[in-house]
Amino acid sequence: MNEQERQTDSSIPIKKLYTEQDLPTTPPEAPGEFPFTRGVQADMYRGKLWTMRQYAGFSTAAESNKRYHYLLSQGVSGLSVAFDLPTQIGYDSDHDLSDGEVGKVGVAIDSIEDMQVLFDGIRLDEVSTSMTINATGFILLGLYAAVAKQQGADLKKINGTIQNDILKEYAARGTYIYPPKPSMRIITDLFEWCSHEVPKWNTISISGYHIREAGSTAVQEIAFTLSNGKAYVQAALEKGLDINVFGRRLSFFFNAHNNLFEEVAKFRAARRMWAKIMKELGATDPKAMMLRFHAQTGGSTLTAQQPLNNIARVTVQTLAAVLGGTQSLHTNGYDEALSLPTEEAAAIALRTQQIVAFESGVADTVDPLAGSYFVESLTDSIEKEAWKLIQTIDSMGGSVAAIEKGFMQEEIASSAYAFQQQTEQGKKIIVGVNTFQTEEKNRIPILRVDDSIRKAQCEKLRQLRNSRDNDLCKTLLGTLRQHAVDGTNIMPVVVQAIEANCTLGEIADTLRSVFGEYRQ
């Protein structure tokens, strides 16, 4: 590769040498102050380290509960829950379409009984929980709140984050149920309910992670994510909500990839851009303008070939997230290109965070790469390119319209195709995949989920439906349907239905009967 060909993964040209002439002309910024390029806290990790999470959930609630207790004993400071595919798209485990998927990519949650088991022995007012769930996010948060109430917790004190970002599902991931407009209505209902009932809960984690996993560039990741965030804010404003109230509870979820300096610059640019967006939309409270984010190391960067190399990749990505100022971090297990992470792989992933936090020195000062000729120039370049994409989306009428027209999907697909071409042509080196290859015999232990899990879940559902007050369930589901029709906030009756032992699938199906299903 000659000097003229060097560029970032977003095709931003990289010069051989950066000097003070490449520094931005804007005045130096202080961390903790608008527009928060250097971080959302004045002291950052000197005051408090990022929350160390490990994304976990598989098989039954009981098996996942064991993993959570293990991770808490090893030093995680927050839980992060993965749900199986039927739970994500609103089907109970005994639905025909759930066959073969129960407990496979996350934990199966059908009812409040499962949620009780999932958090058995874990005080929900003493732990921060992140839940990666979108189309059924409102149901899972209702389940979480119901279990917290049963534990005697004050709902106004529980804290955590629910992903609840449906727009990126249409653009990149595919676990949607309802069409975009009713989905946006559900999200704003949740915003409103949370502001009164669980005010410390982050009501949405606007996600660039899955956009990146689908093949986007770093620039596309933040442009599409911030544009989606803008759409959620506008929807909340149209509902009459106060931007200075709900704006404080918005959070983001980004990917940390291998190109260290581009990733650091991406996080810094995203903070600056979001602050400007929120100010333009009317926010006056600085905390409502802060982009707070969770990061996860890049799942799509993990290789099945020479899987132990993934420990090095995850370490680089951890440094990128921390140097970029993340508030929360999950590190992937080295075996995740092969299966769900084993307990050993999860422990090594957590130790990676702890080594970076306590041994590397990168947490000792705020924004340690600030003033770097290269990083400051790259931050400006990424911001400039991302604004171009946002302006294109705005000209289409915003994110919902851009998704309906297929713009984001096409952009992501084109980037993914270009990356694959570069890899196959050897222009993009993937160690152990297209270069430095060896003959291998896989000796990595694989975590397998038994297909008998579905049978056990189905039996639990049968017993639940036989023992509950079915007349009450029918009445509450009828009320839910009416509220969906007439525009009344659905969350209070959703929680009532949960507490009466209505299942996740029954609640989702009731709304399907009103809103229909989205077909691309």
Side-chain angles (χ1 to χ4, degrees):
M1 183 181 289
N2 61 45
E3 298 302 336
Q4 275 66 44
E5 291 177 332
R6 301 285 174 122
Q7 58 186 15
T8 72
D9 290 342
S10 297
S11 301
I12 295 172
I14 300 175
K15 299 198 302 185
K16 178 180 179 180
L17 179 67
Y18 287 78
T19 69
E20 62 184 8
Q21 301 302 315
D22 297 293
L23 289 173
T25 56
T26 54
E29 296 173 12
E33 296 181 7
F34 181 91
F36 310 108
T37 309
R38 301 196 61 191
V40 295
Q41 301 294 337
D43 56 358
M44 285 302 288
Y45 306 132
R46 286 176 69 103
K48 180 185 177 183
L49 286 173
W50 63 93
T51 300
M52 298 183 191
R53 301 186 188 276
Q54 284 307 112
Y55 187 46
F58 59 95
S59 184
T60 63
E63 287 299 312
S64 295
N65 176 263
K66 291 177 185 176
R67 177 65 65 87
Y68 296 155
H69 279 285
Y70 170 74
L71 291 170
L72 288 167
S73 75
Q74 295 300 304
V76 299
S77 46
L79 298 177
S80 185
V81 185
F83 298 97
D84 74 356
L85 191 57
T87 302
Q88 292 182 48
I89 55 178
Y91 294 123
D92 289 331
S93 295
D94 58 0
H95 193 285
D96 288 346
L97 293 177
S98 298
D99 192 14
E101 294 292 344
V102 176
K104 291 295 177 70
V105 298
V107 62
I109 299 294
D110 293 318
S111 71
I112 192 171
E113 289 184 354
D114 288 327
M115 207 68 163
Q116 290 163 343
V117 174
L118 186 67
F119 292 106
D120 184 40
I122 300 170
R123 288 286 307 181
L124 299 188
D125 53 1
E126 296 176 0
V127 66
S128 168
T129 303
S130 172
M131 294 189 283
T132 303
I133 193 76
N134 296 283
T136 55
F138 66 104
I139 305 174
L140 270 298
L141 183 53
L143 285 161
Y144 191 90
V147 171
K149 283 166 64 178
Q150 290 178 344
Q151 291 183 353
D154 181 351
L155 293 189
K156 290 184 167 52
K157 293 181 180 178
I158 66 168
N159 70 89
T161 302
I162 195 158
Q163 193 161 103
N164 197 31
D165 175 5
I166 201 63
L167 291 179
K168 68 94 174 50
E169 296 295 333
Y170 304 115
R173 190 163 176 261
T175 60
Y176 45 74
I177 302 175
Y178 316 110
K181 289 179 181 176
S183 292
M184 293 291 281
R185 176 264 174 97
I186 292 171
I187 287 170
T188 55
D189 277 2
L190 190 67
F191 284 2
E192 184 178 50
W193 180 79
C194 286
S195 68
H196 301 297
E197 302 298 326
V198 280
K200 289 190 175 182
W201 195 269
N202 297 320
T203 51
I204 193 168
S205 178
I206 305 156
S207 176
Y209 184 85
H210 300 104
I211 290 171
R212 192 67 178 278
E213 288 293 284
S216 81
T217 65
V219 166
Q220 289 170 336
E221 179 188 354
I222 63 168
F224 296 162
T225 305
L226 298 184
S227 182
N228 288 348
K230 187 176 177 181
Y232 292 124
V233 171
Q234 289 170 329
L237 289 172
E238 288 170 7
K239 196 176 180 70
L241 303 182
D242 185 343
I243 192 171
N244 287 318
V245 175
F246 73 80
R248 295 162 65 106
R249 306 284 17 125
L250 304 178
S251 67
F252 288 79
F253 174 26
F254 289 119
N255 209 310
H257 263 230
N258 289 329
N259 193 316
L260 178 65
F261 296 109
E262 181 174 42
E263 294 301 293
V264 172
K266 175 189 78 178
F267 297 133
R268 299 174 89 248
R271 270 194 299 272
R272 188 156 71 200
M273 293 173 72
W274 184 245
K276 293 174 181 177
I277 288 170
M278 288 297 278
K279 188 172 184 178
E280 288 174 1
L281 289 171
T284 55
D285 184 341
K287 289 189 176 180
M289 304 179 205
M290 290 180 179
L291 183 149
R292 297 165 298 114
F293 73 98
H294 169 72
Q296 181 176 338
T297 56
S300 62
T301 69
L302 303 179
T303 64
Q305 300 92 331
Q306 303 177 29
L308 290 174
N309 292 347
N310 293 328
I311 297 173
R313 292 186 176 99
V314 169
T315 303
V316 171
Q317 294 161 8
T318 299
L319 284 168
V322 173
L323 289 167
T326 191
Q327 279 62 67
S328 171
L329 178 62
H330 161 78
T331 37
N332 289 330
Y334 66 83
D335 57 356
E336 289 190 51
L338 301 169
S339 70
L340 291 169
T342 60
E343 193 170 277
E344 178 194 49
I348 291 172
L350 175 60
R351 294 291 179 258
T352 301
Q353 292 200 53
Q354 292 165 336
I355 289 167
V356 168
F358 298 109
E359 297 185 26
S360 73
V362 299
D364 291 342
T365 189
V366 180
D367 193 20
L369 292 181
S372 158
Y373 302 145
F374 180 38
V375 171
E376 294 291 359
S377 175
L378 194 52
T379 301
D380 277 10
S381 295
I382 288 174
E383 180 181 8
K384 180 180 178 182
E385 294 303 311
W387 279 127
K388 289 180 183 177
L389 279 173
I390 290 175
Q391 287 163 4
T392 298
I393 292 167
D394 285 347
S395 71
M396 294 179 176
S399 277
V400 174
I403 288 167
E404 290 175 339
K405 293 174 183 176
F407 172 74
M408 290 189 192
Q409 298 93 312
E410 290 174 7
E411 288 287 304
I412 294 167
S414 294
S415 295
Y417 180 68
F419 180 87
Q420 187 62 29
Q421 280 189 312
Q422 291 174 337
T423 301
E424 292 178 2
Q425 294 166 3
K427 295 178 180 179
K428 180 73 178 175
I429 292 174
I430 310 295
V431 174
V433 176
N434 62 0
T435 188
F436 308 117
Q437 297 158 308
T438 59
E439 288 190 16
E440 300 176 71
K441 290 183 179 179
N442 181 36
R443 297 184 176 87
I444 302 297
I446 293 177
L447 177 64
R448 299 189 187 279
V449 176
D450 197 305
D451 286 328
S452 66
I453 297 303
R454 182 176 188 241
K455 184 177 180 181
Q457 286 295 116
C458 290
E459 177 58 23
K460 285 177 64 178
L461 281 165
R462 187 189 68 78
Q463 293 178 9
L464 177 76
R465 293 190 180 112
N466 285 339
S467 61
R468 70 187 184 181
D469 184 340
N470 283 299
D471 288 338
L472 175 60
C473 288
K474 184 177 180 181
T475 297
L476 289 169
L477 292 173
T479 303
L480 172 61
R481 189 182 194 287
Q482 184 57 43
H483 286 186
V485 170
D486 66 25
T488 304
N489 192 308
I490 65 170
M491 281 306 298
V493 72
V494 165
V495 175
Q496 289 178 325
I498 286 166
E499 292 174 332
N501 289 318
C502 292
T503 68
L504 173 138
E506 290 166 346
I507 294 169
D509 281 347
T510 298
L511 297 182
R512 278 187 178 95
S513 72
V514 178
F515 299 142
E517 292 186 310
Y518 181 65
R519 297 276 189 263
Q520 281 193 328

